[in-house]
Amino acid sequence: MRKILILDLGGHYDQLLARRIRECHVFCEVVAARRVTVEKIRDFDPAGIILTGSEACDDVLNIPLFDLGIPVLAIDQGCQLMIRTLGGQLSDAPVRREHRRALTSLGECVLFQDLLRDIITWMDDNQIISRLPDGFVATASTGEHPIAACCCPERRLFGLQFHPEMSHLNGLHILNQFLKKVCDAGEEWNMENVINGAIQHLRRRIGKGRVLLALSGGVDSSVAAALLSRAVGSQLTCIFVDHGMLRKDEGDLVESYFSRMDLHFVRVNAADQFLTPLEGVSDPDEKRRIIGAQFVRVLQNEARKLGIVDFLAQGTIYPDVLESGLGYADVIRGDEMGSLPEHLEFRELIEPLRYLFKEEVRDLGRAMGLPEYLVGRQPFPGPGLAIRIMGEITREKIRILQEADAIFTGALEKGHLHSQVGQYFAVLTDGRTLRNTPKGRHWGYTLALRAVTTEDYLTAKWARLPYELLDDISTQIMTNVPDISRITYDITNKPPATIEWE
């Protein structure tokens, strides 16, 4: 299979770029540019390399990247680094700013062939290319950038002063031209090939060993369970740890589906083991630490009961690998991705989804026949409602949030608006406000509703839900959850905010 290697100099767009390449049905991996060696590149055997970076990124390469004879597409800071390295010159722009630009193609360049419309893209105007290296020609310009794109056809080196992954339609065309016309990469990355390849790999690696999967019931672990079940069948045991901080009726929903599958399913009702050490704890990082430690303890105890010491599996996905992730995965894996801390008594860790993005995991689940209510589920943090309850966690707060969240999410799903919103949930704040009731004044909790639209979860905008819907949701919650005294709607984008509150 022809593969692309993304060398990341630093910035915010490496995951988005990788997802765009996967959308072209070409496999790629992201590696920090400062860690790569010529030997690693040769072992990976890429059909092409993309050098990318943005803002304050590393601007030093420790390898002769442009002399390896491999096609290179250098983007933004990667382009500027290529220009400087090969003898060109850059100049500071008169005004440093980021603007939306209309790009004009200059002459013939394979990247811009067959474009159906003008390219509109965002460009960082901090530096402009004032002189190209020998052998390079300008291939596109804007009003402020006489050289917005360039290439050296003989060496198959291409530079863009903008991020094509940020412009979905024309940007995807530019990337596709590089992948298919320059790198000769075929459309080999598809779910059928992923499933077949993963099953073969898992069977070879596991052999006759037994596997314990930490099943949360979320999209990632559910798809991992289905894939492992197809690969090794009865050798798989799924442990579903109900820590008492799930959404309303979620534990029963997970059990009802997986208990019907051809695998060993064990539900552990461990609310007391989690909630007792959380008493009086308000710090979100401490909440995560306690929940993670308890989760590992429960999982290890169940493994000992079952006598499983061979393999521990979990639903780690590619953003976890790139960002280190959140929740249980931080605790289960050691200092390096894919390794196990010594206190866990398993021989190896298996992460069958570690090179897939979230939407690819959903597609994989659909390809294996999983129902939409599982593969289309909302993202849910490993610590559960613990990080959607501000301040101390109590059973009463959990009950209040479960009821309010079920009304909010149910209203969006009933109105078929859930398909237009990337993520939505309720947050129980620690603020108490006054509410008038037939029995007198009552100091209740303030509830925050959060709904965002997003393509990749790297950025998000608050969802413009209809006022009539918000009014109906507010009425339902205030009527049915008397401990709520006030409801607010979060209108903060990411960035600067995060999607979750904690």
Side-chain angles (χ1 to χ4, degrees):
M1 180 169 63
R2 305 280 280 171
K3 302 172 291 186
I4 298 298
L5 182 63
I6 298 174
L7 296 184
D8 179 28
L9 293 164
H12 304 300
Y13 307 126
D14 55 343
Q15 290 192 43
L16 180 58
L17 175 61
R19 285 190 62 236
R20 294 287 187 249
I21 293 172
R22 301 277 184 92
E23 288 174 25
C24 297
H25 303 291
V26 176
F27 180 73
C28 63
E29 285 189 32
V30 180
V31 176
R34 65 181 180 275
R35 297 178 182 173
V36 78
T37 63
V38 172
E39 290 73 22
K40 287 182 179 179
I41 291 177
R42 287 176 177 157
D43 288 343
F44 187 81
D45 190 26
I49 295 173
I50 299 181
L51 181 66
T52 184
S54 61
E55 299 177 3
C57 69
D58 299 334
D59 63 353
V60 176
L61 272 177
N62 299 317
I63 59 171
L65 176 66
F66 309 110
D67 298 323
L68 298 179
I70 301 171
V72 175
L73 174 62
I75 296 173
D76 194 2
Q77 299 289 335
C79 175
Q80 296 176 15
L81 176 57
M82 179 175 71
I83 296 301
R84 290 197 304 271
T85 301
L86 297 179
Q89 288 185 354
L90 302 169
S91 302
D92 290 335
V95 180
R96 299 171 68 88
R97 57 188 178 182
E98 192 174 78
H99 274 295
R100 195 173 175 86
R101 300 294 186 204
L103 202 71
T104 302
S105 178
L106 304 173
E108 289 295 324
C109 176
V110 63
L111 299 188
F112 302 111
Q113 285 177 356
D114 304 320
L115 277 174
L116 300 179
R117 63 190 73 182
D118 293 336
I119 304 168
I120 304 296
T121 189
W122 284 93
M123 296 194 69
D124 188 347
D125 291 341
N126 60 344
Q127 286 196 312
I128 60 175
I129 299 173
S130 54
R131 182 169 65 83
L132 287 169
D134 292 341
F136 278 75
V137 295
T139 57
S141 68
T142 71
E144 284 74 13
H145 284 261
I147 306 174
C150 60
C151 75
C152 178
E154 182 179 350
R155 300 173 68 179
R156 296 185 296 173
L157 303 178
F158 300 84
L160 303 175
Q161 279 276 70
F162 58 93
H163 284 268
E165 67 273 23
M166 299 294 288
S167 174
H168 186 86
L169 181 63
N170 288 317
L172 204 61
H173 176 88
I174 292 170
L175 290 172
N176 203 46
Q177 289 290 102
F178 176 73
L179 300 172
K180 309 296 172 56
K181 298 294 181 64
V182 178
C183 302
D184 193 29
E187 297 187 357
E188 300 173 290
W189 179 254
N190 57 65
M191 287 304 110
E192 182 179 356
N193 288 344
V194 170
I195 292 170
N196 292 336
I199 288 174
Q200 293 176 18
H201 171 76
L202 289 169
R203 286 174 177 168
R204 285 195 303 268
R205 183 174 177 189
I206 294 169
K208 296 182 179 180
R210 297 175 66 192
V211 183
L212 187 146
L213 171 68
L215 177 67
S216 71
V219 176
D220 304 334
S221 66
S222 296
V223 173
L227 187 60
L228 282 161
S229 178
R230 187 174 291 192
V232 298
S234 61
Q235 296 166 243
L236 171 68
T237 297
C238 294
I239 301 293
F240 172 49
V241 179
D242 186 346
H243 51 36
M245 292 167 284
L246 301 173
R247 290 166 287 201
K248 185 178 181 181
D249 300 328
E250 185 167 33
D252 294 339
L253 175 68
V254 172
E255 183 175 12
S256 67
Y257 180 77
F258 283 99
S259 61
R260 299 195 304 267
M261 287 185 65
D262 183 23
L263 49 77
H264 300 299
F265 175 87
V266 178
R267 178 177 179 173
V268 182
N269 294 306
D272 290 342
Q273 292 174 251
F274 284 84
L275 296 178
T276 299
L278 286 169
E279 291 178 2
V281 177
S282 298
D283 180 79
D285 289 334
E286 183 66 7
K287 291 179 190 176
R288 291 178 184 273
R289 188 197 65 77
I290 291 171
I291 293 170
Q294 291 300 319
F295 180 84
V296 171
R297 188 170 293 117
V298 171
L299 196 67
Q300 189 70 72
N301 289 340
E302 293 301 315
R304 288 174 183 150
K305 291 178 187 177
L306 296 166
I308 299 177
V309 297
D310 298 322
F311 299 95
L312 172 67
Q314 62 180 20
T316 306
I317 63 175
Y318 204 32
D320 298 329
V321 178
L322 298 176
E323 296 180 348
S324 295
L326 298 173
Y328 304 145
D330 283 325
V331 182
I332 293 177
R333 59 178 174 255
D335 294 332
E336 297 295 329
M337 289 295 303
S339 65
L340 280 165
E342 292 181 0
H343 65 272
L344 284 179
E345 300 166 4
F346 296 94
R347 183 156 53 89
E348 289 184 47
L349 178 65
I350 290 180
E351 298 168 319
L353 309 177
R354 66 180 280 120
Y355 291 111
L356 299 181
F357 287 100
K358 175 68 78 174
E359 289 309 311
E360 291 176 316
V361 173
R362 296 188 197 277
D363 290 341
L364 184 67
R366 293 184 182 105
M368 291 191 295
L370 290 182
E372 189 62 29
Y373 70 78
L374 276 180
V375 296
R377 299 186 73 201
Q378 283 282 296
F380 192 61
L385 298 181
I387 60 169
R388 292 179 181 173
I389 294 174
M390 305 294 102
E392 182 184 1
I393 299 166
T394 66
R395 293 177 189 271
E396 182 65 7
K397 282 185 175 182
I398 294 170
R399 181 194 62 78
I400 293 169
L401 183 54
Q402 284 176 333
E403 295 296 332
D405 183 76
I407 292 171
F408 177 45
T409 57
L412 265 64
E413 290 159 8
K414 183 178 179 181
H416 304 290
L417 288 173
H418 61 287
S419 60
Q420 304 171 30
V421 180
Q423 190 169 350
Y424 47 94
F425 54 88
V427 175
L428 189 66
T429 76
D430 213 21
R432 306 296 286 266
T433 58
L434 187 62
R435 169 178 178 158
N436 290 316
T437 73
K439 296 181 180 181
R441 289 148 56 96
H442 171 67
W443 291 92
Y445 291 101
T446 297
L447 184 78
L449 305 179
R450 177 79 157 144
V452 298
T453 59
T454 179
E455 286 188 6
D456 47 40
Y457 295 91
L458 304 176
T459 62
K461 292 187 176 295
W462 63 274
R464 274 64 171 174
L465 298 180
Y467 290 155
E468 295 79 5
L469 176 64
L470 289 172
D471 183 52
D472 182 57
I473 291 168
S474 176
T475 300
Q476 288 189 56
I477 293 175
M478 295 295 284
T479 301
N480 294 284
V481 191
D483 295 285
I484 301 295
S485 63
R486 199 168 300 268
I487 298 173
T488 65
Y489 187 58
D490 185 346
I491 59 169
T492 321
N493 294 329
K494 176 188 178 181
T498 55
I499 293 179
E500 295 284 350
W501 275 38
E502 286 191 347

